[in-house]
Amino acid sequence: MDEAAGRQWRPTIAAAQAGDRQALDELVEGWLPLVYNVVGRALNGHADVDDVVQETMLRAVDNLGSLRDPDSFRSWLVAIAMRQIRDRARRKQPVHLDESAAHEATDFAELTVLRLQLEGQRREVAEAVRWLDDEDRQLLSLWWLEVAGELTRRELAAAAGISRQHAAVRVQRVKERLETARGIVRALDGACPDLRELTARWNGRPDSVWRKRLARHIRGCGYCGGTREAVVPAERLLVGIALVPIPVGFTLSLALGGKTAVAATATATSVGWSAKVMAAITQPAVAVTAGATFVAGGAYVVTQTPDAPPPRTAPTTSSTARPPSPTPSVTPTTAPSPSQTRQVELYGTVVDAVDRAPDPNARPADLPRRPESGITSTGGRRAVMQHRGESVTLSGQGYVLVRWQIAPHDRPGGLTMPTWTGLKGKIFHVASGGGRRMDDVTGQASDGGDVTGMGGPDTGYTVLPDGTQQMWQNEYFYVDGSVTLTVNERGASYGLTVFPTDWDAVTEDITTGPDQGAIRYGLVRDNGGDSAPVPQYVTRATPADPATVPQRSRV
């Protein structure tokens, strides 16, 4: 939105100042997304975002009559937002958010990725914001909008309360820190064994201590310090990116902070507002706008989702052609169709698909493409679960990667499998990958016994419950609804890392074959319908202890 576009709002602003409620409605609807993005990115989705946005818009409405130059409305509004952000930082108590509040807050980096369908290095930039300090995020929230065409450098400097020269210096420093954070995101998505060991006890939440540790590791690590593709500067990646849509259900009350009509009118008189505007503000529903509704008391409520992004074009034959897929040695058993079996039976019992490992050179079948509107995770982009009782709840529509880490050197023996509980909607087991099954032989012990991902003769072996399908290093699932995955570790030691992912990433993993250094190709289990396999130990129930879900087999 350049300055010329900003000037197009001059008549609307002037009309709102003169008392036109419809013009005021248009201002709120048109500029609320900008304020929401500034505040949301500066606070990274903290639970206070809604309150700060609310206070910003209230102050803007309250003081609109004092704005002398309508052409400066945008910089004036953003400056108000930044003052509210800084005021909130000064008021904030030096205590950490409690766990329940932390889970309720929506990670703005995750919203950016999911709502704007970002991929590749654009996704990487959005996720790197999590690793910045509060002050850097505040400036980055403005710089992001500058390179996206929503703010000018003059407006950025004015909103930050600094000169343009100082703004240039500070923006350059933030860009340097952002590049360091991008390196951390890339490294965490990689497969460096030293980094895995370093982060084994990390709780998965970015903070300054872990940023320094990871940055120090990356600087001294040849694996993490390198990159497989040219790194595009962040400003080139962000040009033209749209604003993140306001979440459905977001409510903004415009009743001047809940003042009575008399008090509000007194306030309006002091700043030159007409009685017509104040009468309109305190009346029931007066306007319905695209995607939002003004309701009683001047409340603005987002009532519908933004237009869904167009579906991805199906790959053409020429772009996906490859040799015919040999049939695996045993085809996985599929679950009965919901049309043939009651849901309580399908999802309340184990659905088995015990199979032998396919030949290492057997290429996988084509993976059916299911709709992807995005998955949100209570564990963020990378949920690391190492202990019994740790869980992550996944919601939305899309693909999920569950990466296994068996630790027989810690504690071998019988393994109590993780469970999927509280299922609402559907979940399918779509593919297995990661280059190997966990029981693939990776070496020989001194006495000649086989060493696998499940252990070896020197450390002992991890043993699955009878009839349980052998997991691969990477297991992929498709969620359409919500479900909670819980680690039930007791006996053998294991950990799970859970990543929301997409169809392209699954396909790339399972088609990385032996000629590229992996032990085997992956395995597609999804047939594209409701009769595709579902995970073992999945239930719609929500037991107090997920470890009590029966782990029995029909095989």
Side-chain angles (χ1 to χ4, degrees), residues 1-6 9 30-31 34 74 148-152 155:
M1 187 185 297
D2 56 23
E3 292 187 57
W9 285 88
W31 292 96
L34 181 71
R74 179 168 63 179
E150 299 289 342
L151 291 179
T152 65
E155 290 168 334

Side-chain angles (χ1 to χ4, degrees), residues 6-21:
R7 285 195 294 272
Q8 294 177 0
W9 285 88
R10 182 187 299 170
T12 305
I13 295 167
Q17 288 179 313
D20 186 332
R21 175 56 195 262

Side-chain angles (χ1 to χ4, degrees), residues 229-269:
E229 57 181 329
V231 178
V232 180
E235 53 265 44
R236 287 176 52 192
L237 296 170
L238 302 181
V239 170
I241 286 184
L243 297 177
V244 175
I246 300 172
V248 175
F250 178 92
T251 302
L252 177 68
S253 171
L254 289 183
L256 288 188
K259 297 177 182 178
T260 64
V262 173
T265 303
T267 300
T269 302

Side-chain angles (χ1 to χ4, degrees), residues 280-482:
I281 284 179
T282 56
Q283 293 302 312
V286 294
V288 177
T289 58
T293 306
F294 285 94
V295 297
Y300 178 100
V301 183
V302 177
T303 56
Q304 64 187 49
T305 58
D307 292 338
R312 297 186 184 183
T313 304
T316 61
T317 304
S318 60
S319 67
T320 59
R322 62 187 187 221
S325 303
T327 303
S329 55
V330 176
T331 301
T333 305
T334 57
S337 166
S339 62
Q340 300 170 349
T341 305
R342 292 182 299 116
Q343 285 185 331
V344 66
E345 294 177 354
L346 175 62
Y347 290 103
T349 62
V350 175
V351 178
D352 301 299
V354 177
D355 60 346
R356 298 195 305 271
D359 183 271
N361 293 310
R363 296 183 65 94
D366 289 331
L367 178 69
R369 187 186 288 269
R370 294 180 180 270
E372 299 177 70
S373 60
I375 291 288
T376 58
S377 164
T378 56
R381 178 64 191 157
R382 182 177 184 270
V384 180
M385 300 187 291
Q386 300 277 357
H387 307 288
R388 180 182 179 185
E390 293 180 334
S391 66
V392 60
T393 298
L394 306 162
S395 304
Q397 184 185 61
Y399 295 91
V400 174
L401 162 61
V402 177
R403 179 172 294 167
W404 279 84
Q405 184 177 18
I406 304 292
H409 55 279
D410 289 345
R411 193 171 61 251
L415 186 148
T416 304
M417 296 291 286
T419 47
W420 303 84
T421 62
L423 175 65
K424 298 178 182 177
K426 300 176 180 179
I427 183 171
F428 302 115
H429 186 186
V430 300
S432 300
R436 65 188 176 100
R437 281 174 38 135
M438 297 301 288
D439 62 349
D440 281 333
V441 177
T442 57
Q444 300 291 319
S446 56
D447 63 356
D450 292 337
V451 175
T452 74
M454 304 294 286
D458 296 331
T459 61
Y461 291 92
T462 296
V463 181
L464 300 178
D466 288 342
T468 298
Q469 179 177 293
Q470 176 64 61
M471 77 287 289
W472 294 46
Q473 185 175 25
N474 288 347
E475 293 286 0
Y476 293 96
F477 303 89
Y478 178 84
V479 176
D480 186 1
S482 65

